[in-house]
Amino acid sequence: MTLDAKIPEGPLEKKWSRYKDHAKLVNPANRKKLSIIIVGTGLAGASAAASMAEQGYQVQSFCFQDSARRAHSVAAQGGVNAAKNYHNDGDSVYRMFYDTLKGGDFRSREANVYRLAECSLNLIDQAVAQGVPFAREYGGYLSNRSFGGVQVSRTFYARGQTGQQLLLGAYQSLMRQVSLGKVHLYSRHEMLDLVLADGKAKGIIARNLDTGVLERFAADAVVIATGGFGKIYYLSTLAMGCNGSAIWRAHRRGALMASPSWTQIHPTCLPQSGSYQSKLTLMSESLRNDGRIWVPKLENETREPNLIPEQERDYYLERRYPSFGNLAPRDISSRAAKERIDAGFGVGPQKNAVYLDFSKAINEQGKDKITEKYGNLFSMYKKITADDAYQIPMKISPAAHFSMGGLWVDYELMTTIPGLFAIGEANFADHGANRLGANSLLQACVDGYFILPYTLANYLSGELKSAKVGIDSPVFEEAERDVRNRIDRLVHIKGSQTADFFHKELGKLLYDKCGLSRTAAGLQEAIDGIANLKSAFYRDLLIPGEAGDMNAELEKAGRVADYLEIASLMCFDALKRNESCGAHFREEYQTPDGEALRDDENFCYVSAWEWPGDDKEPILHPEHLEFEFIKLSVRSYS
């Protein structure tokens, strides 16, 4: 298999314009003859559904939540990036392009990243027109702040609720199309398989989570917008329902998975307080604009933080990365925190955290200004911990967060299955080996509002004369039978352990062996351990209740079954990449001062993996990355 990224010819700044100028169109009278399935109603899915329906296509939208408004995009806090240069501090589309490419350790496509930066300019105007209440300066201008990995202010924000506010804008646009009858919204439906006809995506099999009934849905194209699989670690910043099943089902049907080992550990989360927890709480990276991160210089320090004098504090990010300080990128900041914690300088009851201190900012700016910028985050912190972060430093710790890897897509956001598109965090396309903060909301919105309407139309223009595939066709019969067999297999195991038990065990194994750092020996141990866990899962899983009813335990079991497969591919991908880059830190490949050591000669590619069948070694199809417009360099933030 030869991968074709379909990158347009021409200068970097003209590629997207050139594509749009030459893309095929569907005339308005024909759009209503074409139907699209969009799975997921977060920022990517909702914006895509609203945009395509606005153009006149018939859209079927699916989410497993009881409301599209509950998509996990609501949890993003700190902001969304755009190269508007409102502060006149040197920002530009090119600088944002370079920051993003460098932040991902030069492991993403130039053309995709430049398009992301270019489209960022339009997104802010779109969001303001929708009524998104971005923070403003005294004179009324939109306010900006910085995020990790940059030296300019390009992050637009709505206090600590940016994801929620952007999602409400997209949700309102989506529901307008629902009210007009152009979008049929199926809540409480979970995609369990992809249906292909003549090699093209033509529908899905979904389970009605309220009734347990399997249902068939046909369309001319399918879009997956289901987010990432960071919940595979069990303890993560993601909601309990987040999962990787839709992308994994597509992978098993022939869509390649790209760089699954590139998963991000966020540096600014609340530390684990006990084994009873099922998730961790994210504190926005924006806090690092004004908060200073430190640990005591003495091991096993027992004094309260305010009693530790300044000369006995180690501001380790400012010490190691003076140019960026507390705004070093997430992968670097997380590894630095783990290094200090593992060395015995951690704080808190379990010695598993570091301090995030606002005393200097409060003294300089005043409490009211800090409250204006972060008040809801401080309130949330106090509600959870009972500590007042205005008076004593917050305690933070790294936690699993974002998937840079996902389904492989070309420049058009189409997978290796014709007619199957993946947008937002479900694809791998824009972030490389590490995502810069505030680029997640950007990618989701840009994919849905500005890119997919062109690229999907380009594909659908060739489907007008194709024969429609009905839900009574043999391909739907076969797909539904496969789903039913998988469900029956899980339900009839009748073992003694719940799905949560296996998920926890998998999470511990992955975090230890394929988390912030990896080794060849540890990854092989993980691969063997996952195989043993998978065997135990299919031997000793307990699912109470029946398949044909509302059954939350069955839902969990199906997702954990897919996680076991994804985890194995994650570790295999990490084992085969003999270098360190971004969030993929192989301890065997580091510089003398402990930084990531890339191997551009042998590993300057996106690792795209083909599903070989059950219990077989995955097949690698590398997409070699060409850098025409920038020069590869050692990523340095010091």
Side-chain angles (χ1 to χ4, degrees):
M1 180 185 296
T2 302
L3 297 177
D4 180 7
K6 300 179 185 175
I7 297 172
E9 298 293 330
L12 186 63
E13 66 275 10
K14 297 289 182 65
K15 288 182 183 294
W16 181 229
S17 296
R18 181 179 176 85
Y19 178 89
K20 291 188 290 183
D21 288 345
H22 294 85
K24 297 175 183 176
L25 303 176
V26 180
N27 82 56
N30 284 333
R31 292 173 194 167
K32 59 188 176 184
K33 301 175 184 177
L34 296 165
S35 62
I36 305 162
I37 285 172
I38 299 179
V39 186
T41 59
L43 269 176
S47 60
S51 298
M52 300 310 296
E54 183 77 37
Q55 291 188 6
Y57 297 96
Q58 294 299 310
V59 178
Q60 299 172 82
S61 176
F62 295 82
C63 66
F64 66 77
Q65 298 95 341
D66 58 352
S67 167
R69 196 171 55 186
R70 292 187 183 273
H72 197 61
S73 299
V74 74
Q77 298 166 334
V80 57
N81 286 334
K84 287 283 198 179
N85 195 29
Y86 282 175
H87 282 221
N88 198 29
D89 57 358
D91 202 10
S92 66
V93 169
Y94 184 87
R95 189 176 295 277
M96 182 174 173
F97 151 74
Y98 187 81
D99 285 345
T100 301
L101 206 61
K102 176 184 175 182
D105 221 348
F106 303 98
R107 288 294 180 263
S108 51
R109 294 187 198 121
E110 285 181 321
N112 286 71
V113 175
Y114 191 90
R115 179 175 62 183
L116 180 73
E118 181 182 355
C119 291
S120 73
L121 304 178
N122 294 329
L123 173 61
I124 301 305
D125 300 332
Q126 163 97 1
V128 170
Q130 288 178 329
V132 174
F134 287 124
R136 293 180 181 268
E137 305 288 357
Y138 178 78
Y141 294 105
L142 296 181
S143 184
N144 291 144
R145 57 191 178 199
S146 293
F147 256 57
V150 305
Q151 292 178 310
V152 297
S153 295
R154 68 165 64 105
T155 304
F156 294 76
Y157 62 98
R159 297 185 77 181
Q161 306 170 354
T162 315
Q164 180 182 18
Q165 298 302 328
L166 284 170
L167 184 62
L168 286 173
Y171 173 76
Q172 290 174 108
S173 298
L174 171 63
M175 295 311 293
R176 177 174 180 269
Q177 298 302 317
V178 171
S179 69
L180 293 172
K182 295 181 180 181
V183 174
H184 195 137
L185 179 60
Y186 296 90
S187 60
R188 297 284 295 156
H189 280 69
E190 183 171 23
M191 172 185 164
L192 294 184
D193 214 341
L194 177 70
V195 180
L196 305 184
D198 298 324
K200 296 180 179 180
K202 290 296 181 180
I204 65 170
I205 305 296
R207 183 171 180 269
N208 185 321
L209 301 183
D210 290 332
T211 65
V213 174
L214 296 180
E215 300 177 11
R216 307 174 185 180
F217 301 91
D220 297 291
V222 177
V223 180
I224 294 181
T226 52
F229 50 89
K231 192 62 186 173
I232 196 169
Y233 290 94
Y234 191 74
L235 279 177
S236 80
T237 65
L238 304 181
M240 287 300 294
C242 294
N243 63 84
S245 288
I247 60 174
W248 191 252
R249 295 292 114 206
H251 176 57
R252 289 177 63 101
R253 290 293 181 186
L256 300 192
M257 279 281 285
S259 304
S261 65
W262 291 347
T263 52
Q264 184 171 80
I265 309 297
H266 197 293
T268 317
C269 305
L270 299 191
Q272 183 181 2
S273 57
S275 60
Y276 56 85
Q277 284 181 268
S278 57
K279 78 175 296 292
L280 298 174
T281 301
L282 174 68
M283 299 302 291
S284 170
E285 181 179 312
S286 63
L287 293 168
R288 295 200 281 153
N289 272 284
D290 290 301
R292 301 179 71 197
I293 295 172
W294 62 276
V295 292
K297 289 184 177 179
L298 296 177
E299 292 185 47
N300 300 311
E301 177 66 75
T302 58
R303 288 176 292 176
E304 289 296 314
N306 289 344
L307 298 178
I308 301 173
E310 191 74 14
Q311 64 271 21
E312 295 182 26
R313 301 179 179 188
D314 178 14
Y315 296 92
Y316 57 88
L317 288 177
E318 298 174 28
R319 169 172 55 83
R320 293 182 60 179
Y321 309 102
S323 293
F324 286 76
N326 297 296
L327 287 174
R330 289 177 177 180
D331 59 322
I332 288 174
S333 300
S334 292
R335 281 198 298 274
K338 183 176 185 294
E339 186 274 328
R340 291 289 81 194
I341 291 169
D342 291 348
F345 299 97
V347 301
Q350 299 193 36
K351 302 296 182 183
N352 62 346
V354 299
Y355 287 127
L356 180 60
D357 192 336
F358 290 88
S359 58
K360 185 173 185 289
I362 291 172
N363 288 336
E364 292 177 351
Q365 302 175 40
K367 180 180 176 181
D368 289 346
K369 187 64 176 178
I370 298 301
T371 301
E372 179 185 328
K373 291 192 280 188
Y374 314 112
N376 63 309
L377 296 170
F378 277 63
S379 297
M380 182 173 73
Y381 183 82
K382 186 172 185 179
K383 185 175 182 180
I384 294 171
T385 67
D387 289 338
D388 185 351
Y390 294 109
Q391 301 295 327
I392 60 174
M394 290 182 179
K395 290 186 282 288
I396 58 168
S397 184
H401 181 55
F402 188 91
S403 311
M404 281 77 68
L407 290 175
W408 184 92
V409 293
D410 58 24
Y411 189 74
E412 298 183 304
L413 306 183
M414 187 159 68
T415 70
T416 47
I417 297 175
L420 177 68
F421 294 75
I423 60 177
E425 195 181 348
N427 72 35
F428 87 100
D430 293 344
H431 307 299
N434 173 63
R435 177 177 68 79
L436 291 185
N439 271 351
S440 174
L441 295 178
L442 175 63
Q443 185 210 355
C445 291
V446 163
D447 283 359
Y449 285 128
F450 303 124
I451 299 176
L452 192 72
Y454 284 95
T455 62
L456 187 50
N458 184 65
Y459 171 79
L460 289 172
S461 65
E463 292 300 297
L464 279 167
K465 296 180 180 179
S466 298
K468 299 290 184 182
V469 179
I471 60 173
D472 56 349
S473 69
V475 291
F476 276 90
E477 292 275 359
E478 180 184 356
E480 183 178 331
R481 183 167 56 250
D482 288 347
V483 172
R484 198 175 301 281
N485 289 341
R486 285 202 306 272
I487 290 174
D488 288 345
R489 181 185 181 189
L490 294 174
V491 169
H492 290 105
I493 295 172
K494 302 299 183 185
S496 62
Q497 298 289 356
T498 65
D500 277 339
F501 168 81
F502 292 102
H503 194 175
K504 285 182 182 179
E505 292 297 309
L506 177 64
K508 290 177 194 171
L509 184 61
L510 275 184
Y511 194 82
D512 289 343
K513 306 298 183 182
C514 193
L516 275 167
S517 60
R518 300 97 186 259
T519 64
L523 289 166
Q524 188 58 60
E525 288 176 24
I527 291 170
D528 296 339
I530 292 166
N532 293 334
L533 194 61
K534 179 181 175 182
S535 177
F537 176 85
Y538 283 105
R539 185 177 63 249
D540 201 25
L541 173 69
L542 171 64
I543 299 178
E546 302 298 327
D549 299 319
M550 181 187 288
N551 192 332
E553 288 302 310
L554 175 59
E555 297 165 31
K556 290 181 187 177
R559 295 164 190 169
V560 173
D562 293 332
Y563 274 151
L564 288 164
E565 305 283 356
I566 296 171
S568 182
L569 184 59
M570 282 174 61
C571 294
F572 198 87
D573 181 50
L575 182 61
K576 296 302 180 183
R577 186 173 283 276
N578 294 323
E579 66 163 355
S580 290
C581 59
H584 170 65
F585 190 78
R586 283 281 298 273
E587 293 180 13
E588 305 96 322
Y589 306 101
Q590 56 181 301
T591 63
D593 55 352
E595 302 299 333
L597 183 62
R598 291 199 325 262
D599 182 351
D600 293 333
E601 182 177 350
N602 295 302
F603 293 97
C604 191
Y605 62 70
V606 173
S607 52
W609 297 95
E610 178 184 348
W611 171 252
D614 288 316
D615 301 319
K616 296 179 182 178
E617 188 170 298
I619 302 165
L620 175 64
H621 300 278
E623 181 203 340
H624 293 279
L625 295 168
E626 302 291 336
F627 292 93
E628 300 178 61
F629 303 97
I630 62 101
K631 183 180 179 181
L632 287 171
S633 61
V634 175
R635 188 177 69 148
S636 173
Y637 292 94
S638 59

